[in-house]
Amino acid sequence: MIQFPIQSYKGNVIYTHDMEAWSYYRLHENTVGVNEQEAENHLVNRLQRLAWQFAAFEEIDYKIVPIPVDIDKRMDSLQQQYEGKYAEIGKYYAERAKEILREEAKNVVEYKFFVGIKLKKRELDENILSTFSSSFKSMNRYLQKLAGFGGHEVDDLTASMFEESEEDAYATINNYLGAFRAKEKELCYIIRHQFVRGQEQPDGDGSVYSLTEGILDPGKAGYLHIRQLDDESWCAFLPVSEFPVDLSHKEWAYFFQSYHFPVEVNMRTIYKKKKDDENQTNTIKKRFRDQDAQLIEANEDDDSLINTGRELLHELENEIKNQGKPLLRTHINFVVYGQTKEEVRKRARRLKSDFKDQQIEIVQPLADQLLLFHQSLPAAKIIAEDWEQILTPESFAESLFSLTRKIGNTVGFYLGKNISHDGESIESSQSLVFYHPFLAHLGLKGSKYSSPHVTISGPTGMGKSYLLKDILLNGVFFGAKVLMTDPKNEVEKKFKQALTPEMERMAPFFKELIESFNYITLSSEKKDAGKLDPLTFLEGEEAQDAAVGVLEYLSELQSNERNVKTAIYKGVRHVLQQEEKPGLLKVVRYLQESDDQDVKNVGDLLYEIGTNGVAKLMFSEGDVDGISLGEQVNILQIQNLNLPDEGEKAATRDEHIAVALMQPLAKFATKFARDDTVVKMTIFEEAWMLMNTGAGDRLINELLRTGRSLRSAVYIVTQSTYEYNKPQIKENIGTKFAFKAKTTEEAGNIIEFLGMEDNKANRNMLKNLSEGQCIVEDMYGRTAKIQTDVLFDEWISAFNTKESDRGRAETEEAFM
């Protein structure tokens, strides 16, 4: 009869009935960016060195445990962070997201990586023994064992025998991969998981006895049936029966993470003494000699694979002899499970087929399923020895153990799916991406950036505005105050177009949300004149610098017109000092009254600009009412603004005025962002125009530097990352979203901006991104290709920036 191996546990250490101890650790999850071979090689190198160092511990238990993503728990946690005016609406949408994701993501898991290390027992001398008054406790422990009772408690004497070895084990694993000592709750979860695979997952509590409840039935050949009181499931253990000679780039502990069903992995490696390893190579050499003799007898040529194997064996023999390289006697089994035997059969078939493509053979033993189940338990002994594989540290490292696909935040609103693997789509991917806009500035452990700022870049029509509006609506639920600049004057129009009578009936909360926003529309009409006059809402040197910047830019002065520049400075200073209500029109009149004809001409030009068209917004007599930002969400939009194409200088007078308007607009937003009494989102649409001016460039830099201390997250939406690809700027940006690159040059710039590996694959990927697909670098410095995804029909309708095609698209596609 097979005995359950665990006698008791304490902290992260499991004690067996044979007085052995195993310490367990949860690894830091490693990530590798898209097509980043160098980063992958770095992980392989660390795994290789770790596998070598583990030889000091004789036996290691590697586990990959798929843990279901608890949508309800995450959404409940998110709702607790909602506050302010829109908290109830946020909770309504969180509940709707729950319902949708429960169905769409019912098989979604996150992979956690655990390593168990068999500890060495320290022999205790008499002095140490005398410090413990636990003789009776120890005797009692053995009486319990004889009686077949396994208690949870561990006496101090037993624990002390393994303390030193546990510290060595933790130092070793933490040095190479980074690890946490497993919590008792995590140990309980791993144990209980074995008995409820494919059923409702455990919460990690309970006695050893309660953790092992369940009826295991191996009656169906190749399967194990697990029954609980109110549930049942099936599972199949699939051990590796053959590895190829070369395991390079096989990723055999990683590639299946893109599957739509969970896969569990158990790997046990056993280390023996150097003499045993040398004997092992001698055994293999004998097999090669036998094969050579058979080839000679059959009068056949040498097999190239055998020759390669012979060369590798010779090299390995020298490394064992001269460097002490260890051999890893490895037992690996994969576990698939599900509600029905048929479901498990299909999953096992998929796994076997995909591994066969990797030249790795895994099998589904008919009679040993129960033995393999027992062998997968923490601290269990190897009892199914038929599938032992001899690996080197290098070949083990090619597993990419500890590599995960995680991107984004653990708790946040649903943003989309990770589609980094070849052939993945929004429909097939099971890797959910969550995003929280107000975490980065907290300086969380493991994060690369401590900045709340965000860039969203890419050409028109690829999904920038769609993503931004998704973040905007979700952001207001956290109580954030918002100022969004909308130079295209489209946000209110698109939002309110979505409020059809049918939509109002279906989604009343959406109507309430959209209609409560403060849409501030600035036009060329007289009533709006002067509302962006920098002298009316700024003070001191800041007002002077902004006013001079606007007037100089509009005047298009040449470098030799110093007299005019001087006059502008003097005029602004004069108005600020002498006028109770300063305004730019008063500066213009100061210039018009100059005796210098050049200055007078510029004054006349500025008067014509400032009293006609949309430029009137920047010019006043100082008697205008300021813009009210009393609401939580304020969207500042300007009508009839003719913007130049991205990357182009303003070519017409209208374009020139449009760029000039961005300066006071940005100053206005900066003033809003400086209020540190509330959490804020300051959003700059078409921010590239700001960077085209010296004043705008300084403004963006100031906001990025100070935003964290001011509790302000700045969102920069632009068509190109070129202006932001500078160390002093990009280091102040916490999250970066990059949509399609139009050119190879732009692809290279994005790669540098995101810190990705510059190679042909990445450049091609960026140039071939489809609508809604982007590369994201999160606050932890991880990169991935994601597909944005909005769950609610009314939001999708409101975010769509495309004009109605009046059936043209449907007509075209009908004949394809």
Side-chain angles (χ1 to χ4, degrees):
M1 182 178 177
I2 302 172
Q3 183 183 34
F4 182 70
I6 300 171
Q7 198 277 336
S8 56
Y9 52 86
K10 182 178 183 181
N12 68 316
V13 181
I14 288 175
Y15 300 88
T16 72
H17 294 284
D18 297 325
M19 286 300 293
E20 295 177 343
W22 289 74
S23 58
Y24 278 81
Y25 307 90
R26 177 168 59 83
L27 297 188
H28 295 176
E29 291 144 1
N30 285 285
T31 57
V32 170
V34 190
N35 299 317
E36 293 197 0
Q37 192 58 53
E38 186 176 337
E40 187 175 301
N41 291 342
H42 180 60
L43 174 59
V44 168
N45 182 258
R46 285 186 291 147
L47 284 168
Q48 177 184 327
R49 289 184 290 155
L50 178 66
W52 195 303
Q53 293 297 320
F54 271 161
F57 294 95
E58 298 181 0
E59 198 165 347
I60 310 297
D61 181 18
Y62 299 88
K63 293 189 179 298
I64 303 179
V65 181
I67 298 180
V69 172
D70 192 330
I71 298 296
D72 285 16
K73 189 174 182 180
R74 291 196 183 193
M75 289 299 166
D76 289 343
S77 177
L78 186 68
Q79 290 182 53
Q80 291 172 16
Q81 299 178 38
Y82 289 163
E83 58 181 304
K85 179 178 179 178
Y86 300 110
E88 289 306 312
I89 297 178
K91 292 175 182 177
Y92 161 76
Y93 277 111
E95 289 298 322
R96 278 184 62 186
K98 264 191 207 178
E99 295 173 10
I100 295 168
L101 291 176
R102 271 195 211 115
E103 181 60 31
E104 289 190 4
K106 55 188 175 184
N107 290 321
V108 172
V109 298
E110 283 188 345
Y111 287 93
K112 300 294 182 182
F113 303 85
F114 295 88
V115 176
I117 302 175
K118 187 177 180 180
L119 302 177
K120 293 183 175 181
K121 187 188 300 183
R122 182 169 58 130
E123 297 299 329
L124 302 179
D125 58 32
E126 292 183 4
N127 291 329
I128 295 175
L129 284 169
S130 66
T131 62
F132 292 95
S133 58
S134 55
S135 300
F136 176 76
K137 289 182 182 177
S138 296
M139 181 60 70
N140 187 40
R141 173 180 168 85
Y142 289 111
L143 290 173
Q144 289 177 358
K145 180 183 173 184
L146 289 172
F149 175 75
H152 174 78
E153 294 299 322
V154 179
D155 62 75
D156 294 338
L157 179 60
T158 301
S160 69
M161 289 191 288
F162 299 98
E163 281 178 359
E164 187 174 307
S165 184
E166 193 282 327
E167 289 172 3
D168 291 343
Y170 179 60
T172 300
I173 193 168
N174 197 43
N175 184 46
Y176 289 98
L177 286 182
F180 305 98
R181 286 183 168 96
K183 300 173 183 176
E184 283 190 7
K185 190 168 185 175
E186 290 174 320
L187 287 181
C188 290
Y189 184 98
I190 296 171
I191 296 166
R192 185 58 183 157
H193 166 75
Q194 315 288 321
F195 295 87
V196 293
R197 288 185 178 99
Q199 302 176 29
E200 184 176 348
Q201 292 299 297
D203 58 11
D205 291 320
S207 65
V208 172
Y209 178 80
S210 66
L211 294 176
T212 59
E213 282 268 74
I215 298 175
L216 309 176
D217 181 5
K220 296 291 183 181
Y223 298 91
L224 192 65
H225 186 206
I226 302 175
R227 287 202 299 269
Q228 297 293 335
L229 279 176
D230 301 314
D231 208 350
E232 64 177 349
S233 58
W234 294 78
C235 63
F237 290 80
L238 310 168
V240 174
S241 64
E242 188 174 341
F243 273 132
V245 172
D246 185 4
L247 279 169
S248 299
H249 308 294
K250 297 301 184 185
E251 303 180 350
W252 44 272
Y254 171 67
F255 76 82
F256 54 79
Q257 288 185 32
S258 62
Y259 285 5
H260 70 278
F261 58 87
V263 177
E264 179 188 336
V265 185
N266 298 285
M267 295 188 280
R268 187 71 64 84
T269 60
I270 299 170
Y271 294 88
K272 295 188 177 180
K273 295 178 181 178
K274 181 180 177 181
K275 185 66 177 175
D276 294 317
D277 289 346
E278 290 175 345
N279 290 339
Q280 186 76 46
T281 58
N282 288 332
T283 301
I284 299 172
K285 279 170 65 177
K286 184 177 184 303
R287 289 179 188 165
F288 276 124
R289 285 196 295 269
D290 293 342
Q291 287 173 335
D292 288 341
Q294 291 172 10
L295 289 171
I296 292 170
E297 185 176 339
N299 196 26
E300 293 182 2
D301 295 333
D302 286 353
D303 186 283
S304 60
L305 189 61
I306 294 175
N307 287 334
T308 300
R310 188 183 290 110
E311 292 171 8
L312 291 172
L313 180 64
H314 179 71
E315 182 180 337
L316 176 61
E317 191 175 27
N318 287 333
E319 288 173 333
I320 292 172
K321 183 180 293 184
N322 301 320
Q323 301 174 30
K325 173 183 278 191
L327 293 180
L328 285 62
R329 292 158 177 82
T330 309
H331 299 258
I332 306 167
N333 68 69
F334 298 87
V335 191
V336 291
Y337 47 85
Q339 294 291 308
T340 66
K341 185 164 76 72
E342 178 62 17
E343 190 174 51
V344 174
R345 184 190 69 79
K346 290 178 180 178
R347 293 175 177 183
R349 184 179 178 183
R350 164 79 184 275
L351 198 64
K352 286 186 282 189
S353 174
D354 287 354
F355 269 106
K356 189 174 183 180
D357 287 343
Q358 299 274 47
Q359 292 83 49
I360 297 172
E361 184 178 354
I362 60 175
V363 295
Q364 187 174 355
L366 300 180
D368 291 339
Q369 291 291 316
L370 193 58
L371 294 180
L372 291 167
F373 172 92
H374 177 83
Q375 193 167 290
S376 298
L377 295 169
K381 292 185 180 298
I382 297 297
I383 54 176
E385 298 183 346
D386 293 346
W387 296 283
E388 183 177 272
Q389 303 295 315
I390 306 297
L391 300 180
T392 62
E394 292 87 350
S395 54
F396 169 79
E398 292 293 339
S399 68
L400 298 187
F401 184 82
S402 81
L403 187 61
T404 179
R405 307 186 70 205
K406 193 168 184 179
I407 191 78
N409 301 116
T410 302
V411 174
F413 60 86
Y414 171 70
L415 192 69
K417 291 184 179 179
N418 185 341
I419 55 169
S420 298
H421 285 187
D422 289 341
E424 275 190 301
S425 65
I426 192 73
E427 292 80 19
S428 64
S429 174
Q430 291 291 299
S431 182
L432 305 186
V433 180
F434 297 92
Y435 175 66
H436 195 304
F438 303 109
L439 281 182
H441 69 286
L442 300 177
L444 299 179
K445 186 175 181 180
S447 61
K448 180 180 179 181
Y449 303 106
S450 57
S451 165
H453 308 316
V454 177
T455 56
I456 303 175
S457 64
T460 302
M462 297 309 298
K464 296 194 309 293
S465 294
Y466 195 90
L467 170 63
L468 174 68
K469 290 165 188 170
D470 190 24
I471 295 173
L472 166 67
L473 292 197
N474 279 289
V476 304
F477 302 147
F478 295 94
K481 192 167 184 179
V482 177
L483 175 61
M484 176 181 181
T485 64
D486 177 24
K488 293 181 179 179
N489 191 33
E490 67 174 19
V491 175
E492 180 182 17
K493 175 184 173 185
K494 294 297 182 182
F495 276 5
K496 291 188 175 178
Q497 276 181 355
L499 295 179
T500 62
E502 182 183 4
M503 194 65 75
E504 289 181 20
R505 289 194 303 272
M506 293 172 55
F509 276 117
F510 183 68
K511 175 180 169 65
E512 179 184 340
L513 181 70
I514 294 303
E515 291 189 339
S516 69
F517 292 174
N518 181 24
Y519 301 98
I520 306 162
T521 302
L522 302 178
S523 68
S524 58
E525 295 179 22
K526 190 174 181 179
K527 66 180 179 65
D528 292 326
K531 287 189 174 179
L532 287 177
D533 185 337
L535 295 185
T536 63
F537 64 85
L538 297 174
E539 297 176 351
E541 288 187 8
E542 190 171 20
Q544 177 175 309
D545 290 345
V548 169
V550 168
L551 295 175
E552 283 190 347
Y553 185 80
L554 286 172
S555 302
E556 299 185 71
L557 297 178
Q558 304 301 312
S559 59
N560 60 351
E561 297 181 276
R562 294 183 180 177
N563 58 325
V564 180
K565 290 184 178 182
T566 302
I568 290 175
Y569 271 99
K570 287 182 176 180
V572 172
R573 188 164 59 248
H574 171 80
V575 169
L576 281 171
Q577 292 175 351
Q578 302 299 322
E579 298 289 341
E580 184 178 342
K581 293 183 176 180
L584 279 189
L585 278 177
K586 293 179 178 179
V587 179
V588 169
R589 269 195 292 276
Y590 175 91
L591 298 175
Q592 287 178 305
E593 294 168 0
S594 174
D595 295 333
D596 187 322
Q597 189 60 43
D598 291 338
V599 174
K600 185 177 184 302
N601 290 341
V602 168
D604 291 341
L605 171 65
L606 290 171
Y607 180 81
E608 293 302 320
I609 292 173
T611 55
N612 291 283
V614 74
K616 286 201 296 283
L617 288 166
M618 296 179 283
F619 291 83
S620 78
E621 298 286 357
D623 56 357
V624 298
D625 294 328
I627 298 170
S628 172
L629 298 180
E631 297 295 335
Q632 184 178 332
V633 180
N634 305 277
I635 299 173
L636 197 55
Q637 43 198 12
I638 303 177
Q639 287 184 349
N640 304 317
L641 203 59
N642 294 315
L643 306 176
D645 291 334
E646 185 270 329
E648 300 292 332
K649 295 289 185 181
T652 67
R653 171 60 60 184
D654 286 346
E655 290 178 354
H656 202 69
I657 290 170
V659 174
L661 267 166
M662 292 299 288
Q663 297 185 46
L665 194 64
K667 276 290 187 184
F668 188 82
T670 304
K671 185 179 179 182
F672 165 83
R674 285 177 180 156
D675 176 12
D676 62 358
T677 60
V678 292
V679 175
K680 299 167 299 301
M681 294 173 66
T682 309
I683 301 169
F684 292 107
E685 276 265 31
E686 302 297 335
W688 62 269
M689 289 197 301
L690 269 179
M691 300 298 285
N692 275 351
T693 66
D697 184 54
R698 290 192 295 274
L699 281 171
I700 293 290
N701 274 281
E702 178 195 343
L703 281 176
L704 293 180
R705 285 195 312 272
T706 61
R708 180 185 176 191
S709 61
L710 296 173
R711 304 169 70 199
S712 179
V714 177
Y715 282 73
I716 297 171
V717 186
T718 185
Q719 296 191 30
S720 172
T721 59
Y722 181 77
E723 294 291 347
Y724 306 94
N725 198 10
K726 304 164 187 173
Q728 68 272 23
I729 295 180
K730 66 182 180 182
E731 289 304 316
N732 285 316
I733 299 171
T735 304
K736 308 176 183 81
F737 298 94
F739 288 82
K740 183 176 182 176
K742 290 192 288 187
T743 66
T744 301
E745 182 182 5
E746 173 66 8
N749 184 64
I750 293 172
I751 285 168
E752 184 181 356
F753 184 61
L754 299 180
M756 298 170 67
E757 190 172 306
D758 193 352
N759 53 45
K760 185 177 180 180
N762 276 334
R763 290 189 176 227
N764 287 338
M765 177 188 64
L766 279 162
K767 289 171 64 179
N768 290 296
L769 291 174
S770 301
E771 184 179 348
Q773 296 178 355
C774 63
I775 307 301
V776 59
E777 182 188 18
D778 68 11
M779 57 186 275
Y780 299 98
R782 305 174 298 205
T783 58
K785 175 183 173 183
I786 72 168
Q787 173 84 49
T788 57
D789 187 25
V790 174
L791 299 174
F792 317 117
D793 289 342
E794 62 270 27
W795 289 28
I796 294 170
S797 178
F799 296 172
N800 181 23
T801 58
K802 297 177 180 177
E803 295 295 334
S804 172
D805 64 14
R806 299 183 183 179
R808 289 189 293 269
E810 186 178 345
T811 303
E812 172 72 8
E813 291 169 358
F815 294 95
M816 295 175 77

